[in-house]
Amino acid sequence: MSEIAAVLLMFLPEEDAFWALAQLMVGDRHSMHGFFVPGFPKLLRFQRHHERVLQRALPDLRKHMDEEQMSTGIYSPKWFLQCFLGRTPFSLTLKLWDAYVLDGERVLTAMAYTILKVHRKRLLKLPLEGLREFLQDSLAQPWALEDEAVLRHLRASMTQLRRMRCDLPPPAGPEEFPTRPLGLEPVSPAPGPLLPSPASEPPRRPPPGARAGREPGEPDARGEGSEGASGRTPSVGLWLLQEVGYCQGMSEIAAVLLMFLPEEDAFWALAQLMVGDRHSMHGFFVPGFPKLLRFQRHHERVLQRALPDLRKHMDEEQMSTGIYSPKWFLQCFLGRTPFSLTLKLWDAYVLDGERVLTAMAYTILKVHRKRLLKLPLEGLREFLQDSLAQPWALEDEAVLRHLRASMTQLRRMRCDLPPPAGPEEFPTRPLGLEPVSPAPGPLLPSPASEPPRRRTRCTTR
């Protein structure tokens, strides 16, 4: 589910993404809960149906795959579990998700059939290893067909399967549905703390009133046990949220990490990005955004020295760097450059650190300088905020060559990094030092309705 959450976090605020995921799990149109319960009953049901569709609509391909001992279980789990995330080109995957949200689970069966139908001639020539490699890996590379052409094939497949009465598998059994309503909390076991950091066990701070030899759970001076008033140990994750604060900007960063890492690894990668010396992103998200302001001031100095004519034009049009640069620096260009290029920029950012931010900001303006010099204020704003996310005339590798040249140029000018950070940009306590209070509270109630309350146990003395 982490990759599904990643896609939602790229386009929705955190709370909306949570409820969207909840709706995907339990809503009638998608009912994804059955894909993830033990035994994967819904996955097996869709795989069996997929085999029946192959037998009826593509019998020659089904025969070839049987002869090569190519089971649907080899290639189809990520097709059905995640609606083709990581198995089709990303731009096409987003369009498939639009269709999935609109039309529900019949998109899964139709797209699985469409893939095999479109590539049928090629697949009939491949041996087992070639079939596996193509259906698991090569499909994620750009296709010869445009995305819109693939969607036309998908709509035709949905119509064809509906006429054949094969657009959906047989109805689900009770094992695919949740056993209790959303929001109904179990009495036990209480949620435990997150796993300690892979590097070291996080230091623990004794609660106020603690004394030597006090038994675990014995009340302290405030009448609370060592686990706080709620009986739950505050986690490192809670500390990170409290220390860094709520910020929409981090959700898209978490989304990218979740697309490529397991949940716990993504958490520690985010923690390292926040506090590690090479990236120190913490200063971008604390109140006042001191690091963002520092990078914006430095960006203006780079413009003044390296692109004075563009800087003059932007000043005349009253185009402030604060209009376009926040997402450049806060999120390393997420949502501001084509996604394939953004992933390569993140590779460079992880490797070379924050100098990539200053160099890429300069590279964008240098590469598009002639166009920018002709634009008025509204055109500058629209281009630097929105149009940059569309495919560029340059290939990604050509942009990266420009980036490397910019890094070299700025290093020679001694402008590759802004002045050093002040103390306000750094955490006030080490990662893992857990606050005793406030204890973590329950999730917000569903926007649709108040979740049912848990019955409490009454005791008498």
Side-chain angles (χ1 to χ4, degrees), residues 43 165 349 373:
L43 174 62
R165 297 184 180 179
Y349 180 51
L373 284 170

Side-chain angles (χ1 to χ4, degrees), residues 85-96:
L85 273 169
R87 288 297 185 264
T88 53
F90 191 72
S91 60
L92 174 59
T93 305
L94 293 181
K95 295 179 176 69
L96 292 177

Side-chain angles (χ1 to χ4, degrees), residues 194-234:
L194 287 172
L195 292 173
S197 164
S200 61
E201 180 75 21
R204 296 177 179 268
R205 181 174 64 180
R211 66 180 189 271
R214 183 164 65 89
E215 294 296 324
E218 180 186 346
D220 61 10
R222 299 172 300 167
E224 297 178 1
S226 60
E227 294 182 344
S230 70
R232 295 187 290 184
T233 304

Side-chain angles (χ1 to χ4, degrees), residues 229-407:
S230 70
R232 295 187 290 184
T233 304
S235 67
V236 176
L238 173 67
W239 170 83
L240 190 62
L241 290 174
Q242 289 174 333
E243 177 70 16
V244 176
Y246 177 91
C247 183
Q248 170 60 24
M250 284 190 288
S251 65
E252 294 189 38
I253 298 172
V256 169
L257 297 175
L258 284 167
M259 290 186 73
F260 300 99
L261 297 172
E263 289 88 340
E264 188 183 346
D265 293 346
F267 171 83
W268 290 113
L270 180 61
Q272 186 63 26
L273 287 170
M274 291 295 127
V275 301
D277 294 336
R278 183 170 290 177
H279 305 95
S280 300
M281 296 185 77
H282 181 273
F284 281 133
F285 299 104
V286 292
F289 310 103
K291 188 167 184 176
L292 174 62
L293 298 178
R294 183 164 61 94
F295 269 68
Q296 286 176 333
R297 289 191 295 267
H298 181 69
H299 177 57
E300 291 170 355
R301 288 194 292 271
V302 170
L303 279 183
Q304 187 63 49
R305 289 193 59 183
L307 296 169
D309 54 346
L310 182 57
R311 172 64 190 270
K312 180 181 177 183
H313 173 66
M314 293 172 70
D315 287 344
E316 290 172 350
E317 295 294 330
Q318 298 183 331
M319 180 67 179
S320 165
T321 59
I323 295 176
Y324 62 85
S325 65
K327 286 196 77 167
W328 291 15
F329 296 134
L330 286 174
Q331 300 176 333
C332 189
F333 304 93
L334 274 170
R336 290 296 185 264
T337 53
F339 191 71
S340 60
L341 174 59
T342 305
L343 293 182
K344 295 180 175 69
L345 292 178
W346 266 87
D347 286 342
Y349 180 51
V350 170
L351 181 64
D352 292 311
E354 52 195 20
R355 55 175 36 92
V356 171
L357 302 178
T358 55
M360 188 60 194
Y362 169 54
T363 299
I364 289 175
L365 301 183
K366 180 176 67 171
V367 167
H368 298 100
R369 171 179 159 274
K370 291 183 180 179
R371 179 173 182 176
L372 294 171
L373 284 170
K374 301 175 184 178
L375 296 176
L377 173 61
E378 188 57 31
L380 289 167
R381 186 207 62 76
E382 192 277 333
F383 183 79
L384 294 174
Q385 280 195 313
D386 302 320
S387 299
L388 279 177
Q390 306 303 318
W392 293 15
L394 290 173
E395 295 287 332
D396 292 349
E397 292 304 321
V399 177
L400 294 179
R401 287 194 292 273
H402 278 286
L403 173 61
R404 288 190 285 270
S406 296
M407 292 175 70

Side-chain angles (χ1 to χ4, degrees), residues 34-55:
F35 280 133
F36 300 103
V37 293
F40 310 104
K42 188 168 183 176
L43 174 62
L44 298 178
R45 182 164 59 93
F46 269 66
Q47 285 176 336
R48 289 192 295 267
H49 181 69
H50 177 58
E51 291 170 357
R52 287 194 292 271
V53 169
L54 278 183
Q55 186 64 49

